[in-house]
Amino acid sequence: MLGYVSWRDVLKKLTLAVTMQRPVSSLPLSPGMKLKLVGAGFQSTADLILLKPLQLSKETGLSQQEALEVLQAVRKDGGGGEGSTSLTALELLQKEEETRSIITFSSQLDAALGGGLPVGKTTEICGAPGVGKTQLCLQLAVDVQVPQCFGGVGGQVIYIDTEGSFLLQRVIDVATAAVRHCSLLVEDDEQRAAMMTFTMETILSNIFLVRCHDYVELLAELHLLPDFLSDHPRTRLLVIDSVAFPFRRFDDLSQRTRLLQGLAQQLVAMATRHQVAVVITNQMTTRLQGNQSQLVPALGEGWGHAPTIRLLLQWAGSRRLASIFKSPGNVDATVQYRITSDGFRDADQSEQPQRKRPRTQTDQSASSQPDRRLLRCLSDV
Amino acid sequence: MATRILRRTGVSNEICERLKRREIESCKDLLSLTPVEVMNAAGLSYEKASVLLQSVSKAIAPPFTTALELWKQHSDSCFSTSLPALDKLLRGGLPRGTITEVTGPSGCGKTQMCLMLSVLATLPKSEGGLDSSVIYIDTESAFSAERLVEIARSRFPGYFSSKERVLQMAARVHLFRELTCQDVLNRLERLEEDIISTGAGLIILDSVASVVRKEFDTTLPGNLIHRSNLLSHEATTLKYLAHQFNIPVVLTNQITTHVGDQGSAVSAEVDSSFVTAALGNTWSHSVNTRLIVQYVDAHQRQILIAKSPVAPFAVLNYTIQKQGICIDEKRRDTLGWKQISSHSESGSL
């Protein structure tokens, strides 16, 4: 009769029913409706709690709209709304325009991503050893702190290091270069004032660092992160470098899959609830197909579903390429980048300040043909 | 740590007993379960199970720090190699708390580098050393005490002028000979105690590859995964030790020839075969810094910085002399892209 209702909903409603019982006559409804309700035998709100609109309208003779109104009034009185309300795409569009992206300091990559790495979504960066995954993470940890008047997000960052690749000297270089870059762009008083809080020391103080040695410490840390994020509401970036290393040697693969899926869900929940960009790095593993071996992202095929955006960093001869191979909002694209002493940058020779360069479409001449076979095989993963 | 027993984290005895009946005794066991499994095993409601997970997580999660605090604490975060050109590129030297790999063909100078670093580590801080002992795990029986003394005497003649100092230095290098994979693993598991008792400031493992390649034939099914697991285990243990004691770890590796084929993602311009570091792709992820040594001719050799979080790709020329490695400061070769691709495209077995 009730239809399918989850046991938690029932529990919640019964709790409400017990604690808050009011006579139907006290509800803010029109007298005609109240008369019909009482006439059908509903005396107090407790009787109405577990009903659905269609059933109510049949029993009382109210129209469907009226029945819905009655139940909404009852629920409002009850104090607890139902779990999550839905959004329309229009509201989401407005929200997404307000949400900023974290720039990478490579204008081509930012353009391909539609502005940068989106806050509120999870992004995976995978690639061969030494190609620049950690470099990009360090760059992002500095970029997230760029003040809002310069086009940045002005947030803090949590950096979970599982490999020991967070080298302080490198962060100092990248931070110093970013400060120098922004100070060249100062145009007005607001930006001048912002530069007072954007110094190398403040940048370092806004990076919260934790070193996890195995997957249990990582899982424990993730359990505690929601509280940390609530205590530090300015956090806009969470980096896990890398999520693959602690999970590489696992005897029980089905347990690993389970744990990874739980982990992925937690990350997605944290990203949306606390409005942080979650960036995870993944390693590559060798997959044998007959006699040939290929490098594919590690952690199995199921893991590919978890992140919203997937970036692949790879070599093509002596050039470094960044390919977007999963993104709901952008076209799959490949751009070239390089790692300089200042950090992650475009492959162009000239070092033009970011803001002054007009945003163009992804530059076709600079991007190269990625290895089609590798990308195709990744999309099968 | 993850193996911490639940009872000692403040979980009530009653819950501990219930969990023990399901063979859940350590924090690792508990955190590997999903929330529903925890509710089931402990007989708790969802809220109470969440609270339990939170408190156990708090007990074992490592603490947060900020990069600023790190900066203030570590005044010396590098181990100088006494080769100024190399130190300059590496921004100070081999970074502490990380794994540095030296790889290359046989006879190129890897063991010489290890011996030289051993001498350096025992020097007092005023001479640029770490003033500590060295743990040297030798799997190839390549360690030569006489060569160690020769390097010490030739490189630092002023300091090692008296026999006493030489003997003192030699007494600080602790040699462990391990000839099988299992022996190496066992030694690494017990290494914590050795580090504390000897006051070690440097760990050297020469070489990782020889024992592994002897025992694992990767053409046999299953061996590749088994080998990867073993190496990941070694890497995790070494990283943990390096980080906890804030000391550098140096390993040596061998090279292997990778024959390019249809399946590899190499562009057509590269030669169809090239050398790359052995032990595969997973191992390449595990090391933090990779230095490749290679021959130019009979005497001249080169050292390449192939993977480093702080240094760009660079080549330095060196020769091996009585006093160990000598960098040729004047010659600086430009790095050909062939050399870069040779180490980056690793998918080799």
Side-chain angles (χ1 to χ4, degrees):
Chain A
M1 273 283 267
L2 278 177
Y4 179 75
V5 173
S6 82
W7 64 267
R8 286 184 74 195
D9 290 334
V10 171
L11 209 60
K12 219 188 272 183
K13 287 180 179 171
L14 282 175
T15 328
L16 283 174
V18 162
T19 49
M20 300 213 119
Q21 275 199 52
R22 301 175 52 174
V24 159
S25 48
S26 65
L27 287 172
L29 299 166
S30 71
M33 290 206 286
K34 284 192 219 175
L35 209 60
K36 283 187 185 167
L37 284 172
V38 172
F42 293 103
Q43 300 294 339
S44 76
T45 54
D47 302 331
L48 290 167
I49 282 263
L50 286 176
L51 282 190
K52 294 207 164 164
L54 285 178
Q55 197 180 346
L56 183 61
S57 90
K58 276 191 205 143
E59 285 192 28
T60 56
L62 291 164
S63 75
Q64 288 174 4
Q65 294 289 76
E66 288 171 343
L68 184 61
E69 213 185 297
V70 168
L71 288 173
Q72 278 173 345
V74 168
R75 262 185 238 138
K76 224 182 290 179
D77 276 352
E82 279 303 295
S84 54
T85 51
S86 68
L87 293 174
T88 62
L90 180 64
E91 288 163 351
L92 212 54
L93 194 66
Q94 288 163 343
K95 220 168 147 194
E96 277 178 7
E97 269 169 30
E98 286 164 10
T99 313
R100 297 185 124 156
S101 310
I102 305 177
I103 54 176
T104 61
F105 265 63
S106 155
S107 58
Q108 289 181 5
L109 185 58
D110 288 339
L113 286 168
L117 265 89
V119 167
K121 304 243 161 62
T122 46
T123 306
E124 179 194 76
I125 304 173
C126 49
V131 75
K133 305 185 289 294
T134 304
Q135 297 299 310
L136 181 52
C137 289
L138 295 177
Q139 184 70 59
L140 290 168
V142 170
D143 292 348
V144 73
Q145 302 185 42
V146 169
Q148 289 184 343
C149 50
F150 286 99
V153 183
Q156 295 176 317
V157 49
I158 300 178
Y159 198 106
I160 302 183
D161 181 13
T162 62
E163 293 184 324
S165 38
F166 183 90
L167 279 196
L168 192 62
Q169 189 52 52
R170 186 60 179 151
V171 180
I172 292 176
D173 291 345
V174 172
T176 319
V179 170
R180 197 174 55 230
H181 187 105
C182 285
S183 49
L184 291 173
L185 294 177
V186 168
E187 287 169 340
D188 55 38
D189 288 330
E190 191 195 349
Q191 291 180 337
R192 211 163 288 132
M195 284 309 293
M196 305 299 279
T197 56
F198 190 61
T199 65
M200 204 259 295
E201 280 89 3
T202 48
I203 293 178
L204 291 184
S205 70
N206 284 326
I207 302 178
F208 297 103
L209 184 61
V210 69
R211 176 77 200 275
C212 292
H213 293 106
D214 55 40
Y215 76 92
V216 186
E217 287 187 7
L218 180 60
L219 291 176
E221 204 61 68
L222 288 177
H223 277 300
L224 301 177
L225 270 186
D227 283 341
F228 190 93
L229 287 171
S230 306
D231 291 337
H232 296 84
R234 271 183 58 208
T235 312
R236 291 276 90 80
L237 175 65
L238 167 66
V239 177
I240 305 185
D241 180 21
S242 66
V243 83
F245 184 68
F247 284 99
R248 286 316 283 269
R249 47 171 277 259
F250 236 85
D251 300 315
D252 183 356
L253 282 184
S254 59
Q255 188 193 36
R256 184 180 88 162
T257 312
R258 254 193 318 111
L259 290 175
L260 283 173
Q261 297 206 337
L263 193 147
Q265 280 176 344
Q266 279 179 302
L267 291 176
V268 168
M270 272 191 275
T272 33
R273 214 169 284 152
H274 298 269
Q275 280 300 297
V276 291
V278 176
V279 172
I280 34 198
T281 55
N282 193 3
Q283 295 176 347
M284 303 295 272
T285 185
T286 317
R287 187 164 81 176
L288 297 164
Q289 273 181 327
N291 285 346
Q292 300 170 356
S293 68
Q294 258 184 330
L295 286 183
V296 296
L299 298 182
E301 302 191 358
W303 174 255
H305 298 292
T308 314
I309 298 179
R310 296 182 90 188
L311 284 178
L312 171 70
L313 304 183
Q314 58 185 326
W315 294 98
S318 64
R319 291 177 301 163
R320 300 185 201 238
L321 301 178
S323 308
I324 305 173
F325 69 96
K326 176 183 175 186
S327 172
N330 307 98
V331 172
D332 288 0
T334 301
V335 303
Q336 193 183 341
Y337 68 94
R338 59 191 178 125
I339 311 279
T340 67
S341 54
D342 290 342
F344 193 89
R345 294 288 188 274
D346 276 329
D348 291 342
Q349 299 296 24
S350 57
E351 177 89 85
Q352 285 177 26
Q354 189 106 346
R355 292 289 293 285
K356 304 211 167 113
R357 186 191 249 150
R359 288 269 160 87
T360 56
Q361 297 292 71
T362 312
D363 197 0
Q364 285 301 322
S365 58
S367 67
S368 70
Q369 287 299 320
D371 191 314
R372 290 270 162 228
R373 288 168 305 205
L374 184 58
L375 282 185
R376 249 212 314 276
C377 119
L378 286 166
S379 58
D380 293 339
V381 168
Chain B
M1 267 282 289
T3 46
R4 206 165 159 191
I5 303 295
L6 284 170
R7 205 174 291 255
R8 270 192 268 105
T9 64
V11 177
S12 78
N13 277 335
E14 194 193 325
I15 299 183
C16 280
E17 283 304 310
R18 274 189 236 156
L19 292 172
K20 197 165 175 186
R21 265 180 257 136
R22 307 284 192 109
E23 295 180 6
I24 300 168
E25 282 188 89
S26 71
C27 295
K28 178 176 175 174
D29 300 330
L30 186 69
L31 286 173
S32 302
L33 303 173
T34 62
V36 176
E37 286 173 342
V38 173
M39 282 166 65
N40 231 343
L44 295 171
S45 68
Y46 183 72
E47 277 86 15
K48 292 228 177 88
S50 303
V51 168
L52 173 67
L53 280 174
Q54 285 279 316
S55 63
V56 169
S57 298
K58 271 207 189 93
I60 69 164
F64 274 95
T65 174
T66 66
L68 191 66
E69 282 164 26
L70 205 67
W71 187 50
K72 288 184 184 154
Q73 281 163 18
H74 289 146
S75 48
D76 53 345
S77 57
C78 287
F79 170 36
S80 159
T81 59
S82 81
L83 304 164
L86 186 61
D87 281 348
K88 187 158 175 236
L89 285 168
L90 291 175
R91 313 298 299 275
L94 305 181
R96 289 202 208 202
T98 65
I99 299 185
T100 304
E101 180 193 70
V102 180
T103 184
S106 70
C108 216
K110 306 187 293 292
T111 306
Q112 300 298 309
M113 173 76 98
C114 292
L115 292 172
M116 198 183 76
L117 292 173
S118 306
V119 173
L120 286 174
T122 60
L123 288 177
K125 297 225 166 101
S126 52
E127 300 281 327
L130 297 176
D131 196 16
S132 65
S133 312
V134 177
I135 290 186
Y136 197 112
I137 304 178
D138 182 13
T139 65
E140 292 177 321
S141 301
F143 183 87
S144 157
E146 284 163 1
R147 179 66 178 134
L148 185 76
V149 170
E150 188 185 39
I151 293 178
R153 276 235 171 86
S154 315
R155 205 173 187 93
F156 304 99
Y159 185 75
F160 287 111
S161 47
S162 70
K163 193 168 178 191
E164 215 181 270
R165 283 213 175 133
V166 173
L167 294 178
Q168 223 177 36
M169 181 275 294
R172 284 179 111 179
V173 178
H174 300 265
L175 181 67
F176 297 96
R177 283 219 166 92
E178 310 293 346
L179 298 170
T180 69
C181 279
Q182 197 54 47
D183 286 342
V184 171
L185 215 56
N186 292 341
R187 175 60 56 191
L188 290 180
E189 297 285 310
R190 290 198 307 263
L191 211 57
E192 229 176 285
E193 298 168 12
D194 297 316
I195 297 175
I196 298 176
S197 59
T198 60
L202 172 66
I203 302 176
I204 297 183
L205 176 49
D206 178 19
S207 73
V208 171
S210 64
V211 269
V212 169
R213 291 175 101 187
K214 262 194 312 207
E215 293 183 22
F216 288 93
D217 178 0
T218 48
T219 55
L220 297 176
N223 265 12
L224 184 59
I225 298 178
H226 204 55
R227 188 183 80 164
S228 281
N229 280 352
L230 173 81
L231 290 172
S232 296
H233 192 170
E234 286 186 16
T236 313
T237 314
L238 284 169
K239 282 196 183 187
Y240 171 70
L241 293 170
H243 181 245
Q244 293 295 97
F245 293 101
N246 197 34
I247 55 179
V249 173
V250 177
L251 317 157
T252 59
N253 192 3
Q254 297 167 351
I255 52 160
T256 184
T257 315
H258 178 100
V259 180
D261 56 13
Q262 244 63 351
S264 70
V266 174
S267 72
E269 298 153 64
V270 184
D271 282 343
S272 59
S273 80
F274 46 80
V275 292
T276 166
L279 300 184
N281 167 67
T282 309
W283 177 254
S284 301
H285 279 295
S286 304
V287 303
N288 297 105
T289 309
R290 173 171 273 172
L291 304 172
I292 301 185
V293 293
Q294 61 185 17
Y295 286 101
V296 175
D297 57 42
H299 290 292
Q300 281 288 327
R301 294 130 201 246
Q302 286 179 329
I303 185 166
L304 285 82
I305 302 180
K307 178 182 179 187
S308 165
V310 286
F313 294 129
V315 193
L316 294 170
N317 290 288
Y318 73 94
T319 50
I320 309 235
Q321 316 235 346
K322 215 162 161 212
Q323 64 264 42
I325 311 261
C326 292
I327 299 256
D328 189 352
E329 303 276 340
K330 284 156 236 137
R331 260 186 77 187
R332 275 291 184 100
D333 281 347
T334 49
L335 191 66
W337 59 263
K338 261 194 200 168
Q339 288 152 321
I340 311 172
S341 63
S342 74
H343 67 77
S344 61
E345 293 295 334
S346 53
S348 69
L349 309 172

